[in-house]
Amino acid sequence: MATYLIRKLEQFTALSRDDKEALERAASVRQRRLGSREDIFHEGDAPGRVNLILDGWACRYKMLEDGRRQIAAFLLPGDLCDLRMFILRQMDHSVGTLSPVTVAEIPKDAVIDLSDNYPRISRALWWTSLVEEAIQREWTTNLGQRDALERMAHLLCEVFVRLRAVGLTAGSSCELPVTQAELADATGLSTVHVNRTIQELRARGLVILRGKTLSIPDLDALQDVALFSANYLHLGRVGREYDANDV
Amino acid sequence: MATYLIRKLEQFTALSRDDKEALERAASVRQRRLGSREDIFHEGDAPGRVNLILDGWACRYKMLEDGRRQIAAFLLPGDLCDLRMFILRQMDHSVGTLSPVTVAEIPKDAVIDLSDNYPRISRALWWTSLVEEAIQREWTTNLGQRDALERMAHLLCEVFVRLRAVGLTAGSSCELPVTQAELADATGLSTVHVNRTIQELRARGLVILRGKTLSIPDLDALQDVALFSANYLHLGRVGREYDANDV
DNA sequence: CGGTCATTTGAAATCGTTCAAAAGGAGTGG
DNA sequence: CCACTCCTTTTGAACGATTTCAAATGACCG
């Protein structure tokens, strides 16, 4: 069940059978099934267990007092919602589902055990944190510098490449279980303008969006429009030096 | 010399004399003095030592191919530029100075030693990572949801509160060694609009900006305009449970 | 004292928002 | 299976926040 997490971590380092079993065990202690648009946790909550997305999409978001909402990250299968946040007193943001989701609730002691006793996992989890930070910086750049078309294109590139890394693409297609209103909250645009921007991308033949399915006929072309470079995702098994010695 | 780092970490947990000496030692191994607008490291570089800002201001930034620049974070005295990034192959962004800066270059082995053998420091460094992530999320929200006036106000609130946490404010004033063009790169606005926005804040009596000095006569009022809440900075010695047992 | 960089001002152009409403789709209960 | 409802997508038109362009003023450095 921790398949996607394992695939993700293997982008950074090979894992031994033992490593993988430890991850599977941690992820199977307790699971929770949520519908669309439910909170996994909410700003102000005290952190508890660590939530791993097994299936479905979620997002980090912040609300302003007057109701404006910013989606600050998409959480895809294999993503951890709150790794290590249990040292804080309160969550400073919320995480909610965008589609039906299955989460594994990993007890914090299990996380500590993984960190202390499985060096490859420990390093790989550090790597996931660094990548998350890099993604967040990229989103800041996206909102600050790119115009609407570039911004939407960039978001779609990122989602596609991240899904591909965990095996959730089929050819040039993937799921995109997100409404235009949610894309608006993620890009800082109005829903009206998101709609027009998507139409423009469609008109240029850069994306095909039907229902909840996204197709990108020419990823290079979309990346060019988006000024997208995947370097910040740090994918592709760079850690040869950390290969499992006992796979 | 690691005074500001120590003050920052003490926002999270008390430190023993031993802890502090270890930090001082790590920060004194090698220091580097940089002028204004020099790079501490650059996107694409291989990570090496860990850079700690001892004095002066720096920023994380990303450049797009066509020259647009986004400042993604301000790095203030006591901030670490690249904690744990040495597990990556390449830096995905650059860090450059905004004013003359003194950095301590901490060998990565020294960082590992601190993490492995000083549990309070280890946890506190952890906490700094979480706060950095939270700040980055907040910047995303700032760019995505707040209009120009709120956005500038928010940025100034954050900087002031962070500086206050390390003792770099005097009453309602602090340094702001940053040009309007740099504020523009940080807020995703044009320099012209930054200028007009600052004038508006001035006209409302919310800020006094003369030269490189910022004064905030009524922080609460500025926070209200900015929809600013300091919760995401996780300041204020919340970790009673982690108090040093041997201070 | 000249030169360079930073701030300020004005006016026109533009991108994106807002408001309002229609059209399309999916699920529900009768 | 239809009628109904709710939600999402789409369209049009006016408005407004922010950008761009261009130039003047001010501050600091050598």
mmCIF file of all heavy atoms in Angstrom, chain A residues 183-227:
data_model
loop_
_atom_site.group_PDB
_atom_site.id
_atom_site.type_symbol
_atom_site.label_atom_id
_atom_site.label_comp_id
_atom_site.label_asym_id
_atom_site.label_seq_id
_atom_site.Cartn_x
_atom_site.Cartn_y
_atom_site.Cartn_z
ATOM 1 N N LEU A 183 -8.031 25.243 -9.200
ATOM 2 C CA LEU A 183 -6.861 25.735 -9.932
ATOM 3 C C LEU A 183 -6.680 27.229 -9.708
ATOM 4 O O LEU A 183 -5.555 27.732 -9.609
ATOM 5 C CB LEU A 183 -7.007 25.446 -11.434
ATOM 6 C CG LEU A 183 -6.906 23.976 -11.837
ATOM 7 C CD1 LEU A 183 -7.222 23.805 -13.317
ATOM 8 C CD2 LEU A 183 -5.528 23.404 -11.525
ATOM 9 N N ALA A 184 -7.807 27.929 -9.605
ATOM 10 C CA ALA A 184 -7.739 29.371 -9.339
ATOM 11 C C ALA A 184 -7.110 29.639 -7.972
ATOM 12 O O ALA A 184 -6.247 30.506 -7.834
ATOM 13 C CB ALA A 184 -9.135 29.980 -9.415
ATOM 14 N N ASP A 185 -7.521 28.881 -6.964
ATOM 15 C CA ASP A 185 -6.946 29.066 -5.630
ATOM 16 C C ASP A 185 -5.461 28.714 -5.604
ATOM 17 O O ASP A 185 -4.698 29.220 -4.792
ATOM 18 C CB ASP A 185 -7.692 28.203 -4.603
ATOM 19 C CG ASP A 185 -9.060 28.787 -4.249
ATOM 20 O OD1 ASP A 185 -9.305 29.953 -4.592
ATOM 21 O OD2 ASP A 185 -9.869 28.076 -3.640
ATOM 22 N N ALA A 186 -5.064 27.822 -6.477
ATOM 23 C CA ALA A 186 -3.660 27.426 -6.502
ATOM 24 C C ALA A 186 -2.786 28.419 -7.264
ATOM 25 O O ALA A 186 -1.607 28.585 -6.957
ATOM 26 C CB ALA A 186 -3.510 26.038 -7.131
ATOM 27 N N THR A 187 -3.375 29.065 -8.267
ATOM 28 C CA THR A 187 -2.579 29.955 -9.106
ATOM 29 C C THR A 187 -2.750 31.425 -8.753
ATOM 30 O O THR A 187 -2.064 32.284 -9.306
ATOM 31 C CB THR A 187 -2.972 29.789 -10.598
ATOM 32 O OG1 THR A 187 -4.391 29.920 -10.714
ATOM 33 C CG2 THR A 187 -2.550 28.442 -11.134
ATOM 34 N N GLY A 188 -3.678 31.702 -7.858
ATOM 35 C CA GLY A 188 -3.920 33.091 -7.505
ATOM 36 C C GLY A 188 -4.640 33.858 -8.592
ATOM 37 O O GLY A 188 -4.549 35.085 -8.658
ATOM 38 N N LEU A 189 -5.351 33.144 -9.449
ATOM 39 C CA LEU A 189 -6.136 33.790 -10.503
ATOM 40 C C LEU A 189 -7.618 33.658 -10.175
ATOM 41 O O LEU A 189 -8.001 32.891 -9.295
ATOM 42 C CB LEU A 189 -5.852 33.128 -11.854
ATOM 43 C CG LEU A 189 -4.406 33.159 -12.361
ATOM 44 C CD1 LEU A 189 -4.218 32.217 -13.538
ATOM 45 C CD2 LEU A 189 -4.011 34.577 -12.741
ATOM 46 N N SER A 190 -8.459 34.402 -10.894
ATOM 47 C CA SER A 190 -9.897 34.224 -10.726
ATOM 48 C C SER A 190 -10.337 33.002 -11.534
ATOM 49 O O SER A 190 -9.661 32.591 -12.479
ATOM 50 C CB SER A 190 -10.637 35.467 -11.223
ATOM 51 O OG SER A 190 -10.466 35.621 -12.616
ATOM 52 N N THR A 191 -11.469 32.431 -11.166
ATOM 53 C CA THR A 191 -11.923 31.237 -11.893
ATOM 54 C C THR A 191 -12.202 31.588 -13.348
ATOM 55 O O THR A 191 -11.931 30.800 -14.243
ATOM 56 C CB THR A 191 -13.223 30.662 -11.288
ATOM 57 O OG1 THR A 191 -14.254 31.630 -11.418
ATOM 58 C CG2 THR A 191 -13.034 30.308 -9.835
ATOM 59 N N VAL A 192 -12.716 32.762 -13.567
ATOM 60 C CA VAL A 192 -12.990 33.181 -14.941
ATOM 61 C C VAL A 192 -11.708 33.183 -15.763
ATOM 62 O O VAL A 192 -11.669 32.692 -16.890
ATOM 63 C CB VAL A 192 -13.624 34.589 -14.961
ATOM 64 C CG1 VAL A 192 -13.707 35.119 -16.383
ATOM 65 C CG2 VAL A 192 -15.002 34.549 -14.333
ATOM 66 N N HIS A 193 -10.666 33.716 -15.167
ATOM 67 C CA HIS A 193 -9.425 33.811 -15.930
ATOM 68 C C HIS A 193 -8.748 32.455 -16.084
ATOM 69 O O HIS A 193 -8.093 32.196 -17.096
ATOM 70 C CB HIS A 193 -8.481 34.816 -15.291
ATOM 71 C CG HIS A 193 -7.497 35.375 -16.267
ATOM 72 N ND1 HIS A 193 -7.883 36.014 -17.428
ATOM 73 C CD2 HIS A 193 -6.142 35.365 -16.294
ATOM 74 C CE1 HIS A 193 -6.816 36.381 -18.101
ATOM 75 N NE2 HIS A 193 -5.740 35.996 -17.451
ATOM 76 N N VAL A 194 -8.918 31.598 -15.090
ATOM 77 C CA VAL A 194 -8.417 30.230 -15.235
ATOM 78 C C VAL A 194 -9.086 29.579 -16.434
ATOM 79 O O VAL A 194 -8.435 28.958 -17.276
ATOM 80 C CB VAL A 194 -8.695 29.397 -13.965
ATOM 81 C CG1 VAL A 194 -8.547 27.913 -14.244
ATOM 82 C CG2 VAL A 194 -7.755 29.821 -12.852
ATOM 83 N N ASN A 195 -10.377 29.752 -16.518
ATOM 84 C CA ASN A 195 -11.102 29.163 -17.635
ATOM 85 C C ASN A 195 -10.571 29.665 -18.975
ATOM 86 O O ASN A 195 -10.290 28.884 -19.885
ATOM 87 C CB ASN A 195 -12.600 29.507 -17.499
ATOM 88 C CG ASN A 195 -13.421 28.894 -18.613
ATOM 89 O OD1 ASN A 195 -13.515 29.444 -19.682
ATOM 90 N ND2 ASN A 195 -13.970 27.702 -18.346
ATOM 91 N N ARG A 196 -10.373 30.970 -19.053
ATOM 92 C CA ARG A 196 -9.891 31.518 -20.329
ATOM 93 C C ARG A 196 -8.468 31.088 -20.626
ATOM 94 O O ARG A 196 -8.093 30.870 -21.776
ATOM 95 C CB ARG A 196 -10.000 33.047 -20.305
ATOM 96 C CG ARG A 196 -11.455 33.455 -20.319
ATOM 97 C CD ARG A 196 -11.685 34.934 -20.347
ATOM 98 N NE ARG A 196 -13.118 35.164 -20.551
ATOM 99 C CZ ARG A 196 -13.862 36.005 -19.863
ATOM 100 N NH1 ARG A 196 -13.317 36.745 -18.925
ATOM 101 N NH2 ARG A 196 -15.145 36.121 -20.111
ATOM 102 N N THR A 197 -7.693 30.953 -19.572
ATOM 103 C CA THR A 197 -6.303 30.532 -19.755
ATOM 104 C C THR A 197 -6.235 29.096 -20.258
ATOM 105 O O THR A 197 -5.453 28.772 -21.162
ATOM 106 C CB THR A 197 -5.544 30.667 -18.422
ATOM 107 O OG1 THR A 197 -5.636 32.019 -17.980
ATOM 108 C CG2 THR A 197 -4.093 30.298 -18.588
ATOM 109 N N ILE A 198 -7.075 28.260 -19.689
ATOM 110 C CA ILE A 198 -7.109 26.865 -20.144
ATOM 111 C C ILE A 198 -7.560 26.791 -21.600
ATOM 112 O O ILE A 198 -7.006 26.029 -22.401
ATOM 113 C CB ILE A 198 -8.049 26.034 -19.250
ATOM 114 C CG1 ILE A 198 -7.399 25.821 -17.881
ATOM 115 C CG2 ILE A 198 -8.360 24.681 -19.904
ATOM 116 C CD1 ILE A 198 -8.293 25.154 -16.877
ATOM 117 N N GLN A 199 -8.542 27.618 -21.932
ATOM 118 C CA GLN A 199 -8.988 27.626 -23.325
ATOM 119 C C GLN A 199 -7.860 28.013 -24.268
ATOM 120 O O GLN A 199 -7.717 27.466 -25.360
ATOM 121 C CB GLN A 199 -10.156 28.596 -23.479
ATOM 122 C CG GLN A 199 -11.432 28.066 -22.879
ATOM 123 C CD GLN A 199 -12.590 29.026 -23.070
ATOM 124 O OE1 GLN A 199 -12.857 29.457 -24.180
ATOM 125 N NE2 GLN A 199 -13.253 29.366 -21.974
ATOM 126 N N GLU A 200 -7.057 28.959 -23.812
ATOM 127 C CA GLU A 200 -5.923 29.385 -24.631
ATOM 128 C C GLU A 200 -4.909 28.235 -24.802
ATOM 129 O O GLU A 200 -4.406 27.987 -25.892
ATOM 130 C CB GLU A 200 -5.260 30.605 -23.985
ATOM 131 C CG GLU A 200 -3.956 31.052 -24.610
ATOM 132 C CD GLU A 200 -4.144 31.727 -25.965
ATOM 133 O OE1 GLU A 200 -5.277 32.139 -26.281
ATOM 134 O OE2 GLU A 200 -3.147 31.838 -26.710
ATOM 135 N N LEU A 201 -4.649 27.536 -23.696
ATOM 136 C CA LEU A 201 -3.723 26.392 -23.779
ATOM 137 C C LEU A 201 -4.283 25.329 -24.720
ATOM 138 O O LEU A 201 -3.554 24.702 -25.490
ATOM 139 C CB LEU A 201 -3.478 25.795 -22.387
ATOM 140 C CG LEU A 201 -2.602 26.617 -21.440
ATOM 141 C CD1 LEU A 201 -2.631 26.026 -20.034
ATOM 142 C CD2 LEU A 201 -1.164 26.689 -21.949
ATOM 143 N N ARG A 202 -5.574 25.133 -24.633
ATOM 144 C CA ARG A 202 -6.238 24.173 -25.514
ATOM 145 C C ARG A 202 -6.114 24.608 -26.966
ATOM 146 O O ARG A 202 -5.742 23.826 -27.843
ATOM 147 C CB ARG A 202 -7.724 24.076 -25.152
ATOM 148 C CG ARG A 202 -8.033 22.969 -24.187
ATOM 149 C CD ARG A 202 -9.501 22.591 -24.245
ATOM 150 N NE ARG A 202 -10.304 23.528 -23.442
ATOM 151 C CZ ARG A 202 -10.924 23.196 -22.314
ATOM 152 N NH1 ARG A 202 -10.850 21.967 -21.856
ATOM 153 N NH2 ARG A 202 -11.635 24.069 -21.655
ATOM 154 N N ALA A 203 -6.428 25.884 -27.183
ATOM 155 C CA ALA A 203 -6.406 26.415 -28.550
ATOM 156 C C ALA A 203 -5.023 26.261 -29.175
ATOM 157 O O ALA A 203 -4.883 26.033 -30.373
ATOM 158 C CB ALA A 203 -6.824 27.887 -28.542
ATOM 159 N N ARG A 204 -3.990 26.372 -28.350
ATOM 160 C CA ARG A 204 -2.640 26.220 -28.872
ATOM 161 C C ARG A 204 -2.213 24.761 -28.989
ATOM 162 O O ARG A 204 -1.070 24.454 -29.305
ATOM 163 C CB ARG A 204 -1.636 26.932 -27.968
ATOM 164 C CG ARG A 204 -1.825 28.427 -27.879
ATOM 165 C CD ARG A 204 -0.543 29.057 -27.385
ATOM 166 N NE ARG A 204 -0.757 30.426 -26.946
ATOM 167 C CZ ARG A 204 0.217 31.189 -26.493
ATOM 168 N NH1 ARG A 204 1.453 30.707 -26.394
ATOM 169 N NH2 ARG A 204 -0.029 32.412 -26.110
ATOM 170 N N GLY A 205 -3.137 23.878 -28.632
ATOM 171 C CA GLY A 205 -2.813 22.451 -28.735
ATOM 172 C C GLY A 205 -1.835 21.963 -27.680
ATOM 173 O O GLY A 205 -1.217 20.909 -27.832
ATOM 174 N N LEU A 206 -1.710 22.697 -26.598
ATOM 175 C CA LEU A 206 -0.726 22.325 -25.584
ATOM 176 C C LEU A 206 -1.279 21.355 -24.552
ATOM 177 O O LEU A 206 -0.533 20.563 -23.981
ATOM 178 C CB LEU A 206 -0.212 23.588 -24.887
ATOM 179 C CG LEU A 206 0.654 24.493 -25.766
ATOM 180 C CD1 LEU A 206 0.841 25.858 -25.130
ATOM 181 C CD2 LEU A 206 2.013 23.839 -26.028
ATOM 182 N N VAL A 207 -2.567 21.434 -24.294
ATOM 183 C CA VAL A 207 -3.167 20.503 -23.342
ATOM 184 C C VAL A 207 -4.522 20.043 -23.858
ATOM 185 O O VAL A 207 -5.198 20.750 -24.609
ATOM 186 C CB VAL A 207 -3.379 21.143 -21.946
ATOM 187 C CG1 VAL A 207 -2.107 21.795 -21.438
ATOM 188 C CG2 VAL A 207 -4.525 22.125 -21.969
ATOM 189 N N ILE A 208 -4.894 18.853 -23.445
ATOM 190 C CA ILE A 208 -6.241 18.359 -23.690
ATOM 191 C C ILE A 208 -6.814 18.056 -22.318
ATOM 192 O O ILE A 208 -6.266 17.246 -21.574
ATOM 193 C CB ILE A 208 -6.209 17.088 -24.550
ATOM 194 C CG1 ILE A 208 -5.551 17.403 -25.902
ATOM 195 C CG2 ILE A 208 -7.615 16.539 -24.757
ATOM 196 C CD1 ILE A 208 -5.084 16.169 -26.646
ATOM 197 N N LEU A 209 -7.888 18.748 -21.991
ATOM 198 C CA LEU A 209 -8.490 18.561 -20.673
ATOM 199 C C LEU A 209 -9.939 18.156 -20.871
ATOM 200 O O LEU A 209 -10.761 18.972 -21.301
ATOM 201 C CB LEU A 209 -8.436 19.880 -19.892
ATOM 202 C CG LEU A 209 -7.438 19.972 -18.758
ATOM 203 C CD1 LEU A 209 -7.321 21.396 -18.266
ATOM 204 C CD2 LEU A 209 -7.866 19.064 -17.620
ATOM 205 N N ARG A 210 -10.214 16.907 -20.569
ATOM 206 C CA ARG A 210 -11.607 16.470 -20.671
ATOM 207 C C ARG A 210 -11.973 15.766 -19.391
ATOM 208 O O ARG A 210 -11.345 14.770 -19.018
ATOM 209 C CB ARG A 210 -11.808 15.552 -21.885
ATOM 210 C CG ARG A 210 -12.163 16.313 -23.169
ATOM 211 C CD ARG A 210 -13.075 15.517 -24.110
ATOM 212 N NE ARG A 210 -12.860 14.087 -24.016
ATOM 213 C CZ ARG A 210 -11.866 13.413 -24.632
ATOM 214 N NH1 ARG A 210 -11.009 14.074 -25.391
ATOM 215 N NH2 ARG A 210 -11.739 12.125 -24.504
ATOM 216 N N GLY A 211 -13.015 16.290 -18.738
ATOM 217 C CA GLY A 211 -13.399 15.725 -17.459
ATOM 218 C C GLY A 211 -12.243 15.861 -16.486
ATOM 219 O O GLY A 211 -11.669 16.939 -16.350
ATOM 220 N N LYS A 212 -11.906 14.771 -15.867
ATOM 221 C CA LYS A 212 -10.819 14.831 -14.892
ATOM 222 C C LYS A 212 -9.518 14.285 -15.464
ATOM 223 O O LYS A 212 -8.640 13.846 -14.722
ATOM 224 C CB LYS A 212 -11.225 14.036 -13.640
ATOM 225 C CG LYS A 212 -12.500 14.541 -12.975
ATOM 226 C CD LYS A 212 -12.228 15.749 -12.095
ATOM 227 C CE LYS A 212 -13.499 16.407 -11.578
ATOM 228 N NZ LYS A 212 -13.526 17.860 -11.820
ATOM 229 N N THR A 213 -9.407 14.288 -16.776
ATOM 230 C CA THR A 213 -8.197 13.760 -17.402
ATOM 231 C C THR A 213 -7.420 14.851 -18.134
ATOM 232 O O THR A 213 -7.990 15.609 -18.910
ATOM 233 C CB THR A 213 -8.550 12.645 -18.409
ATOM 234 O OG1 THR A 213 -9.242 11.617 -17.719
ATOM 235 C CG2 THR A 213 -7.291 12.070 -19.041
ATOM 236 N N LEU A 214 -6.144 14.901 -17.850
ATOM 237 C CA LEU A 214 -5.248 15.838 -18.518
ATOM 238 C C LEU A 214 -4.359 15.087 -19.486
ATOM 239 O O LEU A 214 -3.771 14.059 -19.120
ATOM 240 C CB LEU A 214 -4.364 16.535 -17.469
ATOM 241 C CG LEU A 214 -3.105 17.258 -17.967
ATOM 242 C CD1 LEU A 214 -3.481 18.499 -18.787
ATOM 243 C CD2 LEU A 214 -2.209 17.635 -16.799
ATOM 244 N N SER A 215 -4.264 15.571 -20.721
ATOM 245 C CA SER A 215 -3.276 15.024 -21.655
ATOM 246 C C SER A 215 -2.370 16.147 -22.124
ATOM 247 O O SER A 215 -2.836 17.265 -22.366
ATOM 248 C CB SER A 215 -3.954 14.386 -22.874
ATOM 249 O OG SER A 215 -4.581 13.190 -22.505
ATOM 250 N N ILE A 216 -1.108 15.826 -22.237
ATOM 251 C CA ILE A 216 -0.125 16.799 -22.704
ATOM 252 C C ILE A 216 0.560 16.207 -23.926
ATOM 253 O O ILE A 216 1.512 15.434 -23.798
ATOM 254 C CB ILE A 216 0.912 17.100 -21.600
ATOM 255 C CG1 ILE A 216 0.200 17.595 -20.341
ATOM 256 C CG2 ILE A 216 1.936 18.107 -22.088
ATOM 257 C CD1 ILE A 216 1.108 17.860 -19.163
ATOM 258 N N PRO A 217 0.054 16.567 -25.109
ATOM 259 C CA PRO A 217 0.547 15.926 -26.328
ATOM 260 C C PRO A 217 2.045 16.167 -26.544
ATOM 261 O O PRO A 217 2.730 15.314 -27.067
ATOM 262 C CB PRO A 217 -0.250 16.592 -27.453
ATOM 263 C CG PRO A 217 -1.243 17.464 -26.812
ATOM 264 C CD PRO A 217 -0.994 17.553 -25.368
ATOM 265 N N ASP A 218 2.519 17.328 -26.154
ATOM 266 C CA ASP A 218 3.931 17.663 -26.391
ATOM 267 C C ASP A 218 4.473 18.357 -25.144
ATOM 268 O O ASP A 218 4.395 19.579 -25.011
ATOM 269 C CB ASP A 218 4.029 18.575 -27.622
ATOM 270 C CG ASP A 218 5.476 18.926 -27.962
ATOM 271 O OD1 ASP A 218 6.369 18.633 -27.142
ATOM 272 O OD2 ASP A 218 5.689 19.501 -29.039
ATOM 273 N N LEU A 219 5.009 17.536 -24.257
ATOM 274 C CA LEU A 219 5.451 18.071 -22.962
ATOM 275 C C LEU A 219 6.531 19.133 -23.137
ATOM 276 O O LEU A 219 6.530 20.149 -22.446
ATOM 277 C CB LEU A 219 5.950 16.932 -22.069
ATOM 278 C CG LEU A 219 6.383 17.313 -20.649
ATOM 279 C CD1 LEU A 219 5.274 18.021 -19.888
ATOM 280 C CD2 LEU A 219 6.859 16.083 -19.880
ATOM 281 N N ASP A 220 7.443 18.909 -24.072
ATOM 282 C CA ASP A 220 8.504 19.899 -24.292
ATOM 283 C C ASP A 220 7.921 21.256 -24.649
ATOM 284 O O ASP A 220 8.374 22.290 -24.150
ATOM 285 C CB ASP A 220 9.446 19.435 -25.419
ATOM 286 C CG ASP A 220 10.363 18.308 -24.947
ATOM 287 O OD1 ASP A 220 10.511 18.153 -23.716
ATOM 288 O OD2 ASP A 220 10.910 17.589 -25.800
ATOM 289 N N ALA A 221 6.912 21.228 -25.518
ATOM 290 C CA ALA A 221 6.302 22.492 -25.929
ATOM 291 C C ALA A 221 5.660 23.188 -24.737
ATOM 292 O O ALA A 221 5.798 24.407 -24.553
ATOM 293 C CB ALA A 221 5.263 22.241 -27.022
ATOM 294 N N LEU A 222 4.975 22.408 -23.901
ATOM 295 C CA LEU A 222 4.327 23.006 -22.725
ATOM 296 C C LEU A 222 5.384 23.559 -21.763
ATOM 297 O O LEU A 222 5.223 24.643 -21.197
ATOM 298 C CB LEU A 222 3.446 21.971 -22.024
ATOM 299 C CG LEU A 222 2.529 22.521 -20.928
ATOM 300 C CD1 LEU A 222 1.533 23.525 -21.480
ATOM 301 C CD2 LEU A 222 1.790 21.403 -20.206
ATOM 302 N N GLN A 223 6.452 22.818 -21.600
ATOM 303 C CA GLN A 223 7.536 23.283 -20.732
ATOM 304 C C GLN A 223 8.125 24.597 -21.234
ATOM 305 O O GLN A 223 8.461 25.475 -20.440
ATOM 306 C CB GLN A 223 8.661 22.230 -20.663
ATOM 307 C CG GLN A 223 8.265 20.981 -19.926
ATOM 308 C CD GLN A 223 9.447 20.069 -19.623
ATOM 309 O OE1 GLN A 223 9.269 18.935 -19.200
ATOM 310 N NE2 GLN A 223 10.653 20.546 -19.842
ATOM 311 N N ASP A 224 8.229 24.715 -22.554
ATOM 312 C CA ASP A 224 8.762 25.957 -23.116
ATOM 313 C C ASP A 224 7.860 27.142 -22.793
ATOM 314 O O ASP A 224 8.324 28.192 -22.368
ATOM 315 C CB ASP A 224 8.911 25.834 -24.642
ATOM 316 C CG ASP A 224 10.132 25.002 -25.019
ATOM 317 O OD1 ASP A 224 10.942 24.688 -24.114
ATOM 318 O OD2 ASP A 224 10.274 24.661 -26.206
ATOM 319 N N VAL A 225 6.569 26.936 -22.992
ATOM 320 C CA VAL A 225 5.627 28.007 -22.675
ATOM 321 C C VAL A 225 5.702 28.370 -21.191
ATOM 322 O O VAL A 225 5.616 29.526 -20.813
ATOM 323 C CB VAL A 225 4.190 27.577 -23.023
ATOM 324 C CG1 VAL A 225 3.170 28.529 -22.414
ATOM 325 C CG2 VAL A 225 4.012 27.519 -24.532
ATOM 326 N N ALA A 226 5.906 27.346 -20.361
ATOM 327 C CA ALA A 226 5.847 27.532 -18.913
ATOM 328 C C ALA A 226 7.156 28.027 -18.322
ATOM 329 O O ALA A 226 7.222 28.370 -17.154
ATOM 330 C CB ALA A 226 5.475 26.213 -18.243
ATOM 331 N N LEU A 227 8.210 28.050 -19.121
ATOM 332 C CA LEU A 227 9.564 28.251 -18.591
ATOM 333 C C LEU A 227 9.806 27.255 -17.460
ATOM 334 O O LEU A 227 10.283 27.612 -16.380
ATOM 335 C CB LEU A 227 9.780 29.682 -18.123
ATOM 336 C CG LEU A 227 9.689 30.764 -19.209
ATOM 337 C CD1 LEU A 227 8.329 31.411 -19.229
ATOM 338 C CD2 LEU A 227 10.764 31.829 -19.005
#
